[in-house]
Amino acid sequence: MDQMVRDEPREAPGAAGRQITLDIEGMTCASCVARVEKALTRVPGVAGADVNLATERARVALAAPVAMADLLAAVERAGYSAHEIMPDVVPATRPASRRESLHLIAAIVLTLPLALPMMLAPFGRHVALSGWVQLALASLVQFWLGARFYVAGWRALRAGAGNMDLLVALGTSAAYGLSLYLLLAPPVVMEGGMQPLYFEASSVVITLVLLGKFLEARARRQTASAIAALAALRPETARVLRDGEEREIPIARLRVGDHLAVRPGERIAADGRVIEGSSAVDESLLTGESMPTEKGQGARVIGGAVNGQGRLVVEVTATGTQSVLARMIRLVEDAQATKAPIQRLVDRVSAIFVPVVLGLAALTLGGWLIAGAPAQVAILDAVAVLVIACPCALGLATPTAIMAGTGVAARHGILIRDAVALERAHAATVVVFDKTGTLTEGRPRLVGMAGGDGADLLRLAAAVQQGSEHPLARAVVEAAAAQGVAVPPASEMRALPGRGVQALVEGRHLLLASPRAIAEAGFAPGALAEAAAWQGEGRSLAWLAETAPQRRVLGLLAFADTPKPGAAAAVARLHRAGLRTVLLSGDNRASAEAVGRALGIGTVIAEVLPADKAARIAALHEAGDIVAMVGDGINDAPALAAADIGMAMATGTDIAMQAAGVTLMRGDPALVAEAIAISRRTTATIRRGLFWAFVYNLIGIPLAAFGLLSPTIAGGAMALSSVSVVLNALTLRRWRAEGGAGA
């Protein structure tokens, strides 16, 4: 995608209704998320803000013009830094800095000598470092490598909130301070010849937290690999034909209408149409289709696909942000940046998490002192409570699973617009299919004509249909071309959605429409034997009538469409998954029922106008169903928008895709079952991650409060909890379609 430099200055006001994406640095837990959201929503003109811990980004919706500087200042006042992500740029995943890696190595090197006596003690080996050596090592860890926790914790306190950094800073400072007191305060109490110092506790906790954050960041980058994989598909240069010669130019200089020369084995640089040559093209990373697709003259190709053995000349039809690849990246980014409904509940819990933990630590300290325990015991147990509490795990469980789920879906040719669609799909109880183009090939053939002179009937019907993109219109025009019929020009063409089309041809007002529309127009076409027979065979029928200067029926046309390969298997898979299926079609009842019987669909609703499809969806809602609607045409857009989950075939219209929450990159009904399976797997992963995050805190905090966990073990457990939640999300990457491991 082109990295375009915007002309407006950074401080330019954002327009009302605009959505801005900010990159946020410095967040460590769910409490940070809540604080950044609160800071942004307090800026006048901001309608709402969604902050994602896993992607470290904020989506800000504006209700009125807002200066970018005001948004950035609000984030900085909350204790973080931010910068705007330009809408035409694919943000790179933030790499692990060399500085962070070096700090982790230094922490391990400095902490090992402190932890060595504790590690050797169970084996009967007693090794003791001088207290002053321990102080020197621990001070470096505490105030150099652990400085980040003090800085972030202080910013949180200054903003009137708390976060994980504050808990770590307080806990390790208490352990360090207690050790320093015991080292300096006479008389020194000896235990087995060793001073009772706890420098190793503070240092080990900081080291383990740094290790946990390092591993967590690496794992989180893997969850974002889908965007990186898509972005990598776009070549840096393109080979264009200019003045009969091939010239290599930067991809940013490509323009619509350019002719690309694509050699065997090369990636196609932009979306286009083949104008010369033929080849098999591998679109697997874009559509999930494992087999290469044959492309000949006139075929559409997608930028990023790999050309096979033949040379192609491609006319560019879309570049930059208008390309299929760019739209895919935007959809995946949007899905990963939005919040699932369950995450909002987690955010409310996380907002009070740190204050509750601080209160529990204070109760632990006071309780042990009242019970008569030594001060160092009470302090260490309170430190363990502070350290083991982990709001990170709560904050990461949902967004990392969403990132992994949308990523694996994209690799299988399923683009999920937002987290809401991903979470809703798992609960679907009924799947409603459009017929033409969704379950059938969408390329019906004209198989019969009756009621008049065949050649004249075809000539007039083709004239009426020549400007329409409807599948039946294409069938008529193709039949006329195949028979060499001269088609007269038409004017005053007007589509009648769900009914037909009318036009003025040779001074005659003609109407080509469905049987229902013909009857509504006041025509009585009569009882043709062919009509009854074709209806019984499930053919689609269209009547041609003249409305002026005469009113008469001219004839009948019959069309046949065949179900897509694998459509019956896809419907059967949905049934095995416990879902009901419904066929909702504007076609005649006999045709719709014939397709329904062939595919094993339970309920068939036919002869439904586009405006009424949404009402049918609403009726299913009222009956208590959660509805997934699958369609591909303009007439499906209202129903797609009305459904709980709209699924649009990318082989259909842009309007249908805009109305849907899920886009299926192949016109394959099997992707419907796969989308629902991914949703179910993702939802289960989210719930499992949240369960363990909550259980971890519910068990760990009481154990620490009752003195059953040392600060060192608590620190390790806290670091492990965050990593385990992210690794749990990464199990989604192993999902496979039916027949694979993850089916």
Side-chain angles (χ1 to χ4, degrees):
M1 196 183 300
D2 294 335
Q3 296 194 1
M4 301 174 63
V5 178
R6 293 172 40 174
D7 294 328
E8 63 174 326
R10 188 175 172 87
E11 292 79 19
R18 180 186 168 198
Q19 192 174 72
I20 293 173
T21 303
L22 300 178
D23 189 86
I24 310 293
E25 294 185 14
M27 294 191 300
T28 56
C29 66
S31 300
C32 300
V33 169
R35 190 160 70 256
V36 174
E37 285 182 344
K38 185 181 294 184
L40 288 169
T41 52
R42 285 176 175 171
V43 176
V46 172
D50 278 335
V51 178
N52 189 306
L53 178 61
T55 61
E56 297 179 296
R57 291 175 194 158
R59 304 287 294 275
V60 186
L62 304 183
V66 177
M68 178 59 61
D70 293 341
L71 296 175
L72 301 183
V75 174
E76 288 169 4
R77 283 194 301 271
Y80 307 91
S81 59
H83 65 266
E84 183 183 8
I85 296 176
M86 300 306 178
D88 297 323
V89 176
V90 180
T93 304
R94 187 178 296 144
S97 71
R98 178 178 173 83
R99 181 168 171 267
E100 287 181 357
S101 302
L102 291 175
H103 275 199
L104 175 60
I105 293 171
I108 293 172
V109 170
L110 293 170
T111 301
L112 273 177
L114 295 170
L116 193 61
M118 179 181 65
M119 296 165 60
L120 294 177
F123 302 99
R125 302 291 299 273
H126 297 287
V127 179
L129 287 177
S130 162
W132 298 102
V133 173
Q134 293 185 50
L135 173 63
L137 294 173
S139 297
L140 287 171
V141 175
Q142 188 75 34
F143 301 112
W144 170 40
L145 303 173
R148 56 186 287 180
F149 301 113
Y150 287 101
V151 172
W154 169 246
R155 287 174 177 170
L157 272 180
R158 197 173 57 184
N163 61 4
M164 185 207 75
D165 298 293
L166 180 61
L167 298 180
V168 173
L170 288 175
T172 57
S173 295
Y176 177 90
L178 174 62
S179 301
L180 182 60
Y181 170 79
L182 293 174
L183 177 65
L184 298 177
V188 176
V189 179
M190 305 297 291
E191 291 183 0
M194 298 174 62
Q195 289 178 295
L197 303 178
Y198 306 99
F199 286 119
E200 86 285 345
S202 61
S203 297
V204 168
V205 166
I206 287 175
T207 301
L208 288 173
V209 173
L210 291 176
L211 175 61
K213 300 303 287 183
F214 179 81
L215 296 175
E216 173 193 312
R218 286 190 60 185
R220 279 158 58 184
R221 283 192 294 277
Q222 292 181 49
T223 65
S225 61
I227 291 178
L230 288 172
L233 296 180
R234 187 173 175 275
E236 294 295 323
T237 60
R239 191 175 289 105
V240 299
L241 295 174
R242 299 272 171 87
D243 302 323
E245 297 181 356
E246 292 185 9
R247 298 181 183 177
E248 193 167 294
I249 64 172
I251 197 79
R253 289 173 54 193
L254 267 185
R255 298 292 179 264
V256 173
D258 282 344
H259 288 182
L260 298 175
V262 187
R263 297 174 181 175
E266 288 185 338
R267 287 199 182 276
I268 299 171
D271 296 356
R273 179 177 58 88
V274 177
I275 58 175
E276 184 182 314
S278 62
S279 182
V281 175
D282 182 359
E283 300 174 332
S284 57
L285 284 176
L286 293 158
T287 66
E289 175 59 64
S290 58
M291 298 297 293
T293 307
E294 292 294 330
K295 303 287 184 180
Q297 190 168 349
R300 291 174 55 195
V301 291
I302 304 173
V306 179
N307 185 24
Q309 299 300 313
R311 181 180 182 273
L312 296 176
V313 177
V314 175
E315 181 182 359
V316 176
T317 58
T319 63
T321 59
Q322 301 306 310
S323 67
V324 170
L325 177 58
R327 292 202 301 268
M328 286 180 67
I329 292 173
R330 278 201 303 273
L331 280 172
V332 175
E333 280 187 330
D334 288 347
Q336 295 186 349
T338 56
K339 284 188 179 179
I342 195 172
Q343 179 64 23
R344 302 193 182 278
L345 172 62
V346 175
D347 288 348
R348 287 196 294 271
V349 172
S350 300
I352 62 171
F353 186 87
V354 172
V356 168
V357 171
L358 291 173
L360 291 174
L363 286 175
T364 300
L365 177 64
W368 280 111
L369 290 175
I370 293 171
Q376 57 260 46
V377 172
I379 291 173
L380 288 175
D381 289 341
V383 168
V385 170
L386 291 172
V387 170
I388 199 168
C390 188
C392 300
L394 290 174
L396 289 170
T398 301
T400 50
I402 293 293
M403 290 175 69
T406 53
V408 74
R411 286 197 296 273
H412 285 79
I414 302 163
L415 297 184
I416 299 170
R417 175 177 293 181
D418 54 39
V420 176
L422 181 62
E423 187 174 337
R424 279 180 180 171
H426 87 279
T429 58
V430 59
V431 178
V432 179
F433 287 98
D434 170 55
K435 181 176 76 70
T436 305
T438 301
L439 289 174
T440 64
E441 292 288 356
R443 295 194 63 84
R445 296 172 294 106
L446 180 64
V447 295
M449 294 181 290
D453 177 74
D456 191 56
L457 186 62
L458 180 59
R459 183 178 70 89
L460 295 175
V464 173
Q465 296 278 40
Q466 60 188 318
S468 173
E469 291 297 321
H470 193 280
L472 296 185
R474 287 197 298 268
V476 172
V477 173
E478 287 172 1
Q483 296 183 27
V485 174
V487 180
S491 60
E492 300 180 19
M493 296 182 63
R494 187 163 71 92
L496 307 172
R499 289 177 165 83
V501 64
Q502 61 186 29
L504 179 64
V505 180
E506 297 177 340
R508 303 159 69 184
H509 290 277
L510 301 181
L511 171 66
L512 185 64
S514 66
R516 176 179 174 180
I518 283 287
E520 290 176 352
F523 289 96
L528 288 175
E530 292 90 346
W534 285 335
Q535 279 187 327
E537 294 171 3
R539 307 302 190 197
S540 297
L541 304 181
W543 291 90
L544 181 65
E546 181 181 345
T547 59
Q550 302 183 57
R551 283 184 60 82
R552 56 178 176 159
V553 173
L554 301 178
L556 174 67
L557 293 83
F559 304 86
D561 194 5
T562 55
K564 290 181 177 179
V571 171
R573 183 180 173 190
L574 290 171
H575 291 165
R576 289 197 303 273
L579 294 154
R580 300 190 343 269
T581 54
V582 174
L583 179 60
L584 185 63
S585 175
D587 211 341
N588 68 76
R589 180 165 299 281
S591 176
E593 288 180 346
V595 171
R597 283 194 302 272
L599 301 182
I601 292 177
T603 303
V604 176
I605 305 173
E607 299 175 359
V608 181
L609 296 176
D612 295 332
K613 285 188 175 183
R616 298 285 185 166
I617 299 294
L620 289 169
H621 281 152
E622 291 173 6
D625 280 307
I626 298 175
V627 183
M629 170 70 195
V630 189
D632 74 324
I634 293 175
N635 61 346
D636 297 320
L640 289 168
D644 296 284
I645 312 100
M647 298 186 185
M649 300 283 188
T651 50
T653 65
D654 287 343
I655 292 176
M657 286 184 278
Q658 289 167 8
V662 178
T663 298
L664 309 177
M665 292 302 294
R666 305 193 308 275
D668 184 355
L671 290 182
V672 176
E674 291 181 13
I676 292 173
I678 289 172
S679 172
R680 289 180 173 181
R681 179 76 174 268
T682 303
T683 303
T685 302
I686 290 172
R687 289 174 174 169
R688 186 166 58 246
L690 288 174
F691 171 80
W692 286 114
F694 276 110
V695 167
Y696 160 84
N697 284 295
L698 288 173
I699 294 176
I701 292 175
L703 287 177
F706 285 103
L708 300 176
L709 293 177
S710 70
T712 300
I713 295 175
M718 187 269 280
L720 181 62
S721 69
S722 296
V723 176
S724 63
V725 162
V726 179
L727 292 177
N728 171 62
L730 285 176
T731 60
L732 283 165
R733 299 181 70 204
R734 297 198 299 269
W735 185 90
R736 297 291 182 271
E738 188 168 90

